[in-house]
Short mmCIF file of all heavy atoms in Angstrom, two decimals:
data_model
loop_
_atom_site.label_atom_id
_atom_site.label_comp_id
_atom_site.label_asym_id
_atom_site.label_seq_id
_atom_site.Cartn_x
_atom_site.Cartn_y
_atom_site.Cartn_z
N ASP A 23 42.44 -43.83 23.19
CA ASP A 23 43.81 -43.52 22.84
C ASP A 23 44.31 -42.45 23.69
O ASP A 23 45.48 -42.49 24.19
CB ASP A 23 43.96 -43.21 21.36
CG ASP A 23 43.72 -44.30 20.39
OD1 ASP A 23 43.77 -45.53 20.84
OD2 ASP A 23 43.48 -44.13 19.24
N ALA A 24 43.59 -41.42 24.00
CA ALA A 24 43.94 -40.24 24.71
C ALA A 24 44.17 -40.71 26.16
O ALA A 24 45.11 -40.32 26.91
CB ALA A 24 42.92 -39.09 24.62
N ILE A 25 43.31 -41.54 26.67
CA ILE A 25 43.40 -42.00 28.07
C ILE A 25 44.81 -42.96 28.18
O ILE A 25 45.53 -42.78 29.12
CB ILE A 25 42.32 -43.03 28.41
CG1 ILE A 25 40.94 -42.15 28.67
CG2 ILE A 25 42.60 -43.84 29.76
CD1 ILE A 25 39.79 -42.99 28.71
N ASP A 26 45.14 -43.69 27.19
CA ASP A 26 46.30 -44.47 27.19
C ASP A 26 47.49 -43.63 27.32
O ASP A 26 48.45 -43.76 27.95
CB ASP A 26 46.43 -45.36 26.04
CG ASP A 26 45.48 -46.49 25.92
OD1 ASP A 26 44.92 -46.85 27.02
OD2 ASP A 26 45.17 -47.08 24.93
N GLY A 27 47.41 -42.51 26.52
CA GLY A 27 48.58 -41.53 26.43
C GLY A 27 48.71 -40.75 27.72
O GLY A 27 49.85 -40.60 28.31
N ILE A 28 47.62 -40.23 28.28
CA ILE A 28 47.70 -39.43 29.44
C ILE A 28 48.16 -40.36 30.67
O ILE A 28 48.81 -39.94 31.64
CB ILE A 28 46.42 -38.65 29.77
CG1 ILE A 28 46.80 -37.58 30.76
CG2 ILE A 28 45.32 -39.50 30.17
CD1 ILE A 28 47.80 -36.51 30.46
N LEU A 29 47.67 -41.61 30.69
CA LEU A 29 48.13 -42.61 31.73
C LEU A 29 49.64 -42.81 31.66
O LEU A 29 50.23 -42.92 32.75
CB LEU A 29 47.38 -43.79 31.69
CG LEU A 29 45.85 -43.76 32.13
CD1 LEU A 29 45.17 -45.10 31.93
CD2 LEU A 29 45.74 -43.35 33.67
N GLU A 30 50.16 -42.97 30.43
CA GLU A 30 51.59 -43.08 30.40
C GLU A 30 52.31 -41.80 30.93
O GLU A 30 53.29 -41.99 31.67
CB GLU A 30 51.96 -43.28 28.84
CG GLU A 30 53.48 -43.71 28.69
CD GLU A 30 53.73 -44.96 29.41
OE1 GLU A 30 52.99 -45.94 29.48
OE2 GLU A 30 54.97 -45.01 29.86
N VAL A 31 51.86 -40.65 30.55
CA VAL A 31 52.35 -39.39 31.05
C VAL A 31 52.33 -39.30 32.59
O VAL A 31 53.24 -38.96 33.31
CB VAL A 31 51.67 -38.20 30.43
CG1 VAL A 31 52.10 -36.84 31.11
CG2 VAL A 31 52.03 -38.08 28.95
N ALA A 32 51.19 -39.69 33.15
CA ALA A 32 50.92 -39.62 34.49
C ALA A 32 51.90 -40.62 35.12
O ALA A 32 52.56 -40.27 36.22
CB ALA A 32 49.50 -40.09 34.87
N LYS A 33 52.01 -41.80 34.73
CA LYS A 33 53.05 -42.84 35.36
C LYS A 33 54.51 -42.28 35.30
O LYS A 33 55.19 -42.41 36.22
CB LYS A 33 52.93 -44.17 34.52
CG LYS A 33 51.72 -44.95 34.82
CD LYS A 33 51.75 -46.24 33.98
CE LYS A 33 50.41 -46.89 33.94
NZ LYS A 33 50.31 -47.97 33.25
N GLN A 34 54.82 -41.71 34.14
CA GLN A 34 56.16 -41.09 34.01
C GLN A 34 56.48 -39.87 34.86
O GLN A 34 57.53 -39.74 35.46
CB GLN A 34 56.50 -40.82 32.63
CG GLN A 34 56.64 -42.02 31.74
CD GLN A 34 56.83 -41.65 30.26
OE1 GLN A 34 57.05 -40.40 29.97
NE2 GLN A 34 56.93 -42.75 29.34
N SER A 35 55.40 -38.96 35.04
CA SER A 35 55.69 -37.76 35.66
C SER A 35 55.28 -37.98 37.15
O SER A 35 55.73 -37.16 38.07
CB SER A 35 54.82 -36.64 35.04
OG SER A 35 53.45 -36.92 35.26
N ASP A 36 54.36 -38.74 37.49
CA ASP A 36 53.75 -38.95 38.73
C ASP A 36 53.21 -37.68 39.36
O ASP A 36 53.26 -37.44 40.49
CB ASP A 36 54.78 -39.54 39.81
CG ASP A 36 54.06 -40.28 40.99
OD1 ASP A 36 53.02 -40.79 40.88
OD2 ASP A 36 54.71 -40.20 42.02
N HIS A 37 52.68 -36.80 38.32
CA HIS A 37 52.07 -35.50 38.76
C HIS A 37 50.53 -35.67 38.94
O HIS A 37 49.89 -36.22 38.11
CB HIS A 37 52.37 -34.53 37.68
CG HIS A 37 52.19 -33.17 38.01
ND1 HIS A 37 51.01 -32.58 37.97
CD2 HIS A 37 53.05 -32.16 38.51
CE1 HIS A 37 51.08 -31.24 38.38
NE2 HIS A 37 52.29 -31.05 38.70
N PRO A 38 50.12 -35.13 40.08
CA PRO A 38 48.70 -35.33 40.34
C PRO A 38 47.81 -34.86 39.20
O PRO A 38 46.78 -35.31 38.93
CB PRO A 38 48.50 -34.41 41.64
CG PRO A 38 49.77 -34.38 42.22
CD PRO A 38 50.81 -34.45 41.22
N ARG A 39 48.17 -33.72 38.57
CA ARG A 39 47.33 -33.11 37.59
C ARG A 39 47.12 -34.19 36.29
O ARG A 39 46.12 -34.10 35.76
CB ARG A 39 47.96 -31.72 36.96
CG ARG A 39 47.24 -31.19 35.77
CD ARG A 39 45.93 -30.49 36.21
NE ARG A 39 45.23 -29.96 35.13
CZ ARG A 39 44.01 -30.01 34.73
NH1 ARG A 39 43.13 -30.74 35.62
NH2 ARG A 39 43.53 -29.48 33.81
N SER A 40 48.18 -34.85 36.05
CA SER A 40 48.04 -35.84 35.05
C SER A 40 47.02 -36.91 35.36
O SER A 40 46.21 -37.37 34.52
CB SER A 40 49.46 -36.59 34.76
OG SER A 40 50.39 -35.71 34.42
N TYR A 41 47.03 -37.32 36.50
CA TYR A 41 46.01 -38.22 36.92
C TYR A 41 44.56 -37.62 36.97
O TYR A 41 43.58 -38.37 36.70
CB TYR A 41 46.23 -38.80 38.42
CG TYR A 41 47.44 -39.79 38.39
CD1 TYR A 41 48.76 -39.45 38.72
CD2 TYR A 41 47.24 -41.13 37.88
CE1 TYR A 41 49.80 -40.29 38.66
CE2 TYR A 41 48.38 -42.02 37.88
CZ TYR A 41 49.67 -41.61 38.22
OH TYR A 41 50.68 -42.48 38.17
N GLU A 42 44.55 -36.39 37.36
CA GLU A 42 43.22 -35.62 37.29
C GLU A 42 42.69 -35.47 35.79
O GLU A 42 41.53 -35.84 35.62
CB GLU A 42 43.33 -34.25 37.86
CG GLU A 42 42.04 -33.39 37.89
CD GLU A 42 42.25 -32.07 38.37
OE1 GLU A 42 43.35 -31.63 38.88
OE2 GLU A 42 41.20 -31.23 38.27
N VAL A 43 43.57 -35.39 34.94
CA VAL A 43 43.13 -35.25 33.52
C VAL A 43 42.83 -36.64 32.91
O VAL A 43 41.75 -36.80 32.27
CB VAL A 43 44.32 -34.70 32.60
CG1 VAL A 43 44.06 -34.85 31.20
CG2 VAL A 43 44.61 -33.19 32.94
N ALA A 44 43.48 -37.75 33.35
CA ALA A 44 43.07 -39.10 32.99
C ALA A 44 41.76 -39.44 33.55
O ALA A 44 40.95 -40.01 32.83
CB ALA A 44 44.31 -39.97 33.58
N GLY A 45 41.55 -39.07 34.84
CA GLY A 45 40.12 -39.30 35.36
C GLY A 45 39.12 -38.66 34.67
O GLY A 45 37.95 -39.21 34.38
N ASN A 46 39.36 -37.30 34.17
CA ASN A 46 38.27 -36.61 33.44
C ASN A 46 38.04 -37.28 32.08
O ASN A 46 36.93 -37.30 31.64
CB ASN A 46 38.85 -35.16 33.19
CG ASN A 46 38.70 -34.33 34.65
OD1 ASN A 46 37.93 -34.73 35.46
ND2 ASN A 46 39.46 -33.31 34.68
N LEU A 47 39.18 -37.69 31.49
CA LEU A 47 39.00 -38.30 30.10
C LEU A 47 38.21 -39.59 30.20
O LEU A 47 37.36 -39.95 29.40
CB LEU A 47 40.38 -38.73 29.51
CG LEU A 47 41.09 -37.49 28.87
CD1 LEU A 47 42.54 -37.86 28.50
CD2 LEU A 47 40.40 -37.06 27.55
N ILE A 48 38.52 -40.42 31.36
CA ILE A 48 37.69 -41.71 31.44
C ILE A 48 36.29 -41.39 31.73
O ILE A 48 35.43 -42.04 31.17
CB ILE A 48 38.35 -42.38 32.78
CG1 ILE A 48 39.81 -42.91 32.29
CG2 ILE A 48 37.33 -43.47 33.13
CD1 ILE A 48 40.57 -43.47 33.61
N SER A 49 35.97 -40.35 32.37
CA SER A 49 34.49 -39.93 32.68
C SER A 49 33.87 -39.50 31.37
O SER A 49 32.71 -39.88 31.14
CB SER A 49 34.49 -38.84 33.67
OG SER A 49 34.81 -39.20 34.94
N GLN A 50 34.60 -38.78 30.60
CA GLN A 50 34.04 -38.22 29.27
C GLN A 50 33.80 -39.53 28.41
O GLN A 50 32.78 -39.46 27.64
CB GLN A 50 35.00 -37.23 28.63
CG GLN A 50 35.00 -36.03 29.39
CD GLN A 50 36.08 -34.99 28.96
OE1 GLN A 50 36.83 -35.34 28.05
NE2 GLN A 50 36.10 -33.75 29.57
N VAL A 51 34.70 -40.44 28.28
CA VAL A 51 34.58 -41.57 27.50
C VAL A 51 33.34 -42.44 27.91
O VAL A 51 32.59 -42.92 27.14
CB VAL A 51 35.81 -42.34 27.35
CG1 VAL A 51 35.53 -43.74 26.65
CG2 VAL A 51 36.83 -41.67 26.59
N ALA A 52 33.27 -42.48 29.34
CA ALA A 52 32.02 -43.30 29.88
C ALA A 52 30.74 -42.57 29.42
O ALA A 52 29.68 -43.24 29.18
CB ALA A 52 32.24 -43.42 31.43
N GLU A 53 30.76 -41.26 29.43
CA GLU A 53 29.58 -40.43 29.08
C GLU A 53 29.09 -40.80 27.62
O GLU A 53 27.98 -40.87 27.29
CB GLU A 53 29.77 -39.00 29.38
CG GLU A 53 29.69 -38.67 30.76
CD GLU A 53 30.03 -37.10 30.98
OE1 GLU A 53 29.93 -36.31 30.05
OE2 GLU A 53 30.44 -36.75 32.22
N VAL A 54 30.12 -40.69 26.75
CA VAL A 54 29.89 -40.99 25.28
C VAL A 54 29.36 -42.37 25.15
O VAL A 54 28.38 -42.64 24.46
CB VAL A 54 31.18 -40.62 24.44
CG1 VAL A 54 30.88 -41.18 22.97
CG2 VAL A 54 31.48 -39.24 24.52
N THR A 55 30.01 -43.34 25.88
CA THR A 55 29.53 -44.70 25.78
C THR A 55 28.10 -44.85 26.24
O THR A 55 27.31 -45.47 25.50
CB THR A 55 30.43 -45.74 26.64
OG1 THR A 55 31.79 -45.51 26.20
CG2 THR A 55 29.99 -47.05 26.61
#
């Protein structure tokens, strides 16, 4: 859910930091998996 939210923010803002946060969340979810 957090990934979906931050990806939406990243698309709307097109800010590099948003994409960095999304990448980190994806990695963290992969680690938990």
Side-chain angles (χ1 to χ4, degrees):
D23 290 343
I25 290 168
D26 291 341
I28 195 63
L29 285 176
E30 188 62 36
V31 169
K33 288 176 189 176
Q34 290 177 3
S35 70
D36 201 33
H37 194 277
R39 177 69 180 138
S40 299
Y41 286 100
E42 181 182 354
V43 170
N46 288 337
L47 281 171
I48 291 167
S49 293
Q50 291 171 357
V51 170
E53 288 176 17
V54 174
T55 303

